[in-house]
Amino acid sequence: AQSVAQPEDQVNVAEGNPLTVKCTYSVSGNPYLFWYVQYPNRGLQFLLKYITGDNLVKGSYGFEAEFNKSQTSFHLKKPSALVSDSALYFCAVSRNTGFQKLVFGTGTRLLVSP
Amino acid sequence: EAQVTQNPRYLITVTGKKLTVTCSQNMNHEYMSWYRQDPGLGLRQIYYSMNVEVTDKGDVPEGYKVSRKEKRNFPLILESPSPNQTSLYFCASSPLTGGIINEQFFGPGTRLTVL
């Protein structure tokens, strides 16, 4: 069975500081990993994905994520946070074969203060 | 414009009255999916479809039905809605690359209240 854990309900960071939003996963076989962002009163938008290759994945709006197979983690990072980054962030996992069931985490609210 | 559309956007109904939420995409995507979003529970997949006439259960399929008769449409059917199905529902679509899901495009959401 697939599962995703986002251990922090909320992350608070000051503008200009680096941010990290944590995600760990469990899946049989090799994972496909995704980050999505949801701004208030809007649908979800794709940020980035890891399928294979380089463990550091770069995505939209200056975000990046690091895949760590031994720790089964896929943490989202940004070197310098903006107030406009404040939103709800979801990590998701699928498999690299077979039926493509997708499991999301419970979400982490990022609050960037001026 | 490439998009996923859902209708209705808002719906208030009563227990037991059958309803359908439509979903349509114009990107020729093979993969379509329905999710519900509830506070503290994140997004949970209800059903997904890998292609026409190919559907499978997600994590929370009870009380829902889907069909995929055409590639562009993936309606969600609640045969006998109950109050615990009050939620925010999202439809999404994705191309498949080598049979593997890719970036998903989400619809704007349907807020359903069952009284």
Side-chain angles (χ1 to χ4, degrees), chain B residues 25-38:
Chain B
Q25 51 98 1
N26 62 2
M27 295 167 279
N28 202 36
H29 288 166
E30 296 89 352
Y31 185 95
M32 296 187 75
S33 180
W34 276 103
Y35 301 90
R36 60 178 289 174
Q37 183 177 11
D38 302 288

Side-chain angles (χ1 to χ4, degrees), chain B residues 62-89:
Chain B
E62 295 79 19
Y64 304 94
K65 285 176 57 177
V66 293
S67 67
R68 187 92 181 272
K69 294 185 172 61
E70 305 166 284
K71 198 171 186 179
R72 64 182 293 126
N73 296 323
F74 191 46
L76 180 69
I77 303 159
L78 285 72
E79 294 268 4
S80 182
S82 63
N84 63 13
Q85 293 179 296
T86 292
S87 186
L88 179 58
Y89 291 86

Side-chain angles (χ1 to χ4, degrees), chain B residues 42-103:
Chain B
L43 261 77
R44 294 179 292 168
Q45 192 173 45
I46 303 170
Y47 272 96
Y48 65 97
S49 170
M50 301 277 287
N51 213 325
V52 175
E53 303 291 3
V54 181
T55 63
D56 201 5
K57 298 176 181 178
D59 280 336
V60 287
E62 295 79 19
Y64 304 94
K65 285 176 57 177
V66 293
S67 67
R68 187 92 181 272
K69 294 185 172 61
E70 305 166 284
K71 198 171 186 179
R72 64 182 293 126
N73 296 323
F74 191 46
L76 180 69
I77 303 159
L78 285 72
E79 294 268 4
S80 182
S82 63
N84 63 13
Q85 293 179 296
T86 292
S87 186
L88 179 58
Y89 291 86
F90 287 102
C91 180
S93 73
S94 167
L96 293 177
T97 305
I100 304 301
I101 191 173
N102 229 304
E103 167 191 351

